[in-house]
Amino acid sequence: MLGRDRGCDAILDDPTVSRFHAEVLLIGDRYVLADVGSLNGTYVNGRPVDRAELADGDVVWIGNFHLRFHLTSQHQSIQDTSPRDADQER
Protein backbone atom coordinates (compact mmCIF):
# COMPACT_ATOMS: atom_id res chain seq x y z
CA MET A 1 0.00 0.00 0.00
CA LEU A 2 1.23 3.49 -0.86
CA GLY A 3 -0.14 6.51 0.97
CA ARG A 4 0.22 9.04 3.75
CA ASP A 5 -0.87 6.72 6.59
CA ARG A 6 1.95 5.45 8.84
CA GLY A 7 0.66 1.91 8.33
CA CYS A 8 1.38 1.96 4.58
CA ASP A 9 4.24 -0.05 3.09
CA ALA A 10 5.53 3.10 1.37
CA ILE A 11 4.75 6.32 3.24
CA LEU A 12 4.39 9.36 0.96
CA ASP A 13 4.28 12.30 3.32
CA ASP A 14 2.55 14.99 1.28
CA PRO A 15 -0.91 16.57 1.74
CA THR A 16 -1.82 15.80 -1.90
CA VAL A 17 -1.50 12.06 -1.19
CA SER A 18 -4.48 10.22 0.32
CA ARG A 19 -4.01 8.25 3.54
CA PHE A 20 -4.46 5.06 1.51
CA HIS A 21 -3.78 6.07 -2.09
CA ALA A 22 -2.79 3.10 -4.27
CA GLU A 23 -1.39 -0.40 -4.14
CA VAL A 24 0.84 -2.55 -6.31
CA LEU A 25 -0.52 -6.04 -6.83
CA LEU A 26 1.27 -9.09 -8.18
CA ILE A 27 -1.22 -10.92 -10.39
CA GLY A 28 0.36 -14.00 -11.91
CA ASP A 29 3.67 -12.72 -13.23
CA ARG A 30 2.49 -9.12 -13.75
CA TYR A 31 2.51 -6.09 -11.48
CA VAL A 32 -0.64 -3.98 -11.45
CA LEU A 33 -1.05 -0.54 -9.89
CA ALA A 34 -4.52 0.10 -8.48
CA ASP A 35 -5.83 3.42 -7.18
CA VAL A 36 -7.86 2.67 -4.03
CA GLY A 37 -10.18 5.68 -4.19
CA SER A 38 -7.70 8.50 -3.79
CA LEU A 39 -8.90 12.10 -3.96
CA ASN A 40 -6.25 13.42 -6.37
CA GLY A 41 -5.82 10.38 -8.58
CA THR A 42 -2.95 8.16 -9.65
CA TYR A 43 -1.01 8.54 -12.90
CA VAL A 44 1.22 6.24 -14.93
CA ASN A 45 3.48 7.95 -17.46
CA GLY A 46 1.39 11.11 -17.15
CA ARG A 47 -2.00 9.45 -17.74
CA PRO A 48 -4.69 9.09 -15.07
CA VAL A 49 -5.44 5.46 -14.17
CA ASP A 50 -7.72 3.54 -11.88
CA ARG A 51 -5.77 0.37 -12.59
CA ALA A 52 -2.78 -0.24 -14.88
CA GLU A 53 -0.28 -2.97 -15.58
CA LEU A 54 3.22 -1.71 -14.81
CA ALA A 55 6.21 -2.19 -17.10
CA ASP A 56 9.87 -1.69 -16.29
CA GLY A 57 10.66 2.04 -16.31
CA ASP A 58 7.09 3.29 -15.91
CA VAL A 59 6.74 6.47 -13.86
CA VAL A 60 3.95 6.52 -11.27
CA TRP A 61 2.75 9.95 -10.08
CA ILE A 62 1.09 10.07 -6.69
CA GLY A 63 0.60 13.59 -5.42
CA ASN A 64 3.95 15.37 -5.79
CA PHE A 65 5.88 12.09 -5.87
CA HIS A 66 7.22 10.66 -9.13
CA LEU A 67 8.12 7.01 -8.60
CA ARG A 68 9.93 4.91 -11.22
CA PHE A 69 8.97 1.22 -11.32
CA HIS A 70 11.85 -1.21 -11.92
CA LEU A 71 11.82 -4.95 -12.46
CA THR A 72 14.85 -7.10 -11.77
CA SER A 73 15.32 -10.82 -12.16
CA GLN A 74 14.71 -11.33 -8.43
CA HIS A 75 12.26 -8.61 -7.39
CA GLN A 76 10.57 -5.34 -8.31
CA SER A 77 11.19 -1.98 -6.77
CA ILE A 78 9.83 1.54 -6.87
CA GLN A 79 12.31 4.42 -6.82
CA ASP A 80 11.47 8.03 -5.94
CA THR A 81 12.43 10.24 -8.88
CA SER A 82 10.77 13.40 -7.57
CA PRO A 83 12.74 16.57 -8.25
CA ARG A 84 14.59 17.79 -5.18
CA ASP A 85 15.11 21.41 -6.18
CA ALA A 86 13.41 24.04 -8.34
CA ASP A 87 16.00 23.75 -11.15
CA GLN A 88 15.02 20.18 -12.01
CA GLU A 89 12.24 19.34 -14.47
CA ARG A 90 8.84 18.38 -13.02
Side-chain angles (χ1 to χ4, degrees), residues 6 30-31 35 54 69 74 77:
R6 297 291 173 213
R30 298 174 183 204
Y31 288 93
D35 186 287
L54 294 173
F69 180 81
Q74 295 180 355
S77 65

CSV table of all heavy atoms in Angstrom, one decimal, residues 6 30-31 35 54 69 74 77:
chain,number,residue,atom,x,y,z
A,6,ARG,N,0.7,6.1,8.3
A,6,ARG,CA,1.9,5.5,8.8
A,6,ARG,C,1.9,3.9,8.7
A,6,ARG,O,2.9,3.3,8.8
A,6,ARG,CB,2.2,5.9,10.3
A,6,ARG,CG,2.4,7.3,10.5
A,6,ARG,CD,3.7,7.7,9.9
A,6,ARG,NE,3.9,9.2,9.9
A,6,ARG,CZ,4.6,9.9,9.0
A,6,ARG,NH1,5.1,9.2,8.0
A,6,ARG,NH2,4.7,11.1,9.0
A,30,ARG,N,2.6,-10.5,-13.4
A,30,ARG,CA,2.5,-9.1,-13.7
A,30,ARG,C,2.2,-8.3,-12.5
A,30,ARG,O,1.5,-8.7,-11.6
A,30,ARG,CB,1.4,-8.9,-14.8
A,30,ARG,CG,1.7,-9.7,-16.0
A,30,ARG,CD,0.6,-9.6,-17.0
A,30,ARG,NE,1.0,-10.5,-18.1
A,30,ARG,CZ,0.5,-10.3,-19.3
A,30,ARG,NH1,-0.4,-9.4,-19.6
A,30,ARG,NH2,0.9,-11.1,-20.3
A,31,TYR,N,2.8,-7.1,-12.5
A,31,TYR,CA,2.5,-6.1,-11.5
A,31,TYR,C,1.5,-5.1,-12.0
A,31,TYR,O,1.6,-4.6,-13.1
A,31,TYR,CB,3.8,-5.4,-11.1
A,31,TYR,CG,4.7,-6.3,-10.3
A,31,TYR,CD1,5.7,-7.0,-11.0
A,31,TYR,CD2,4.6,-6.4,-9.0
A,31,TYR,CE1,6.6,-7.9,-10.3
A,31,TYR,CE2,5.4,-7.3,-8.3
A,31,TYR,CZ,6.4,-8.0,-9.0
A,31,TYR,OH,7.2,-8.9,-8.3
A,35,ASP,N,-5.4,2.3,-8.0
A,35,ASP,CA,-5.8,3.4,-7.2
A,35,ASP,C,-6.9,2.9,-6.3
A,35,ASP,O,-7.8,2.2,-6.7
A,35,ASP,CB,-6.3,4.6,-8.0
A,35,ASP,CG,-6.7,5.8,-7.2
A,35,ASP,OD1,-7.7,5.8,-6.5
A,35,ASP,OD2,-5.9,6.8,-7.3
A,54,LEU,N,2.0,-2.5,-14.8
A,54,LEU,CA,3.2,-1.7,-14.8
A,54,LEU,C,4.3,-2.4,-15.6
A,54,LEU,O,4.4,-3.7,-15.6
A,54,LEU,CB,3.7,-1.5,-13.4
A,54,LEU,CG,2.8,-0.6,-12.5
A,54,LEU,CD1,3.3,-0.7,-11.1
A,54,LEU,CD2,2.8,0.8,-13.0
A,69,PHE,N,9.1,2.6,-11.6
A,69,PHE,CA,9.0,1.2,-11.3
A,69,PHE,C,10.1,0.5,-12.1
A,69,PHE,O,10.3,0.7,-13.2
A,69,PHE,CB,7.6,0.8,-11.8
A,69,PHE,CG,7.3,-0.7,-11.6
A,69,PHE,CD1,6.9,-1.1,-10.4
A,69,PHE,CD2,7.5,-1.6,-12.6
A,69,PHE,CE1,6.6,-2.5,-10.2
A,69,PHE,CE2,7.2,-2.9,-12.4
A,69,PHE,CZ,6.8,-3.4,-11.2
A,74,GLN,N,15.1,-10.8,-9.7
A,74,GLN,CA,14.7,-11.3,-8.4
A,74,GLN,C,13.5,-10.6,-7.8
A,74,GLN,O,12.8,-11.2,-7.1
A,74,GLN,CB,15.9,-11.3,-7.5
A,74,GLN,CG,17.0,-12.2,-7.9
A,74,GLN,CD,18.2,-12.1,-7.0
A,74,GLN,OE1,18.2,-11.4,-6.0
A,74,GLN,NE2,19.2,-13.0,-7.2
A,77,SER,N,11.0,-3.1,-7.7
A,77,SER,CA,11.2,-2.0,-6.8
A,77,SER,C,10.6,-0.7,-7.3
A,77,SER,O,10.4,-0.6,-8.5
A,77,SER,CB,12.7,-1.7,-6.5
A,77,SER,OG,13.3,-1.3,-7.6
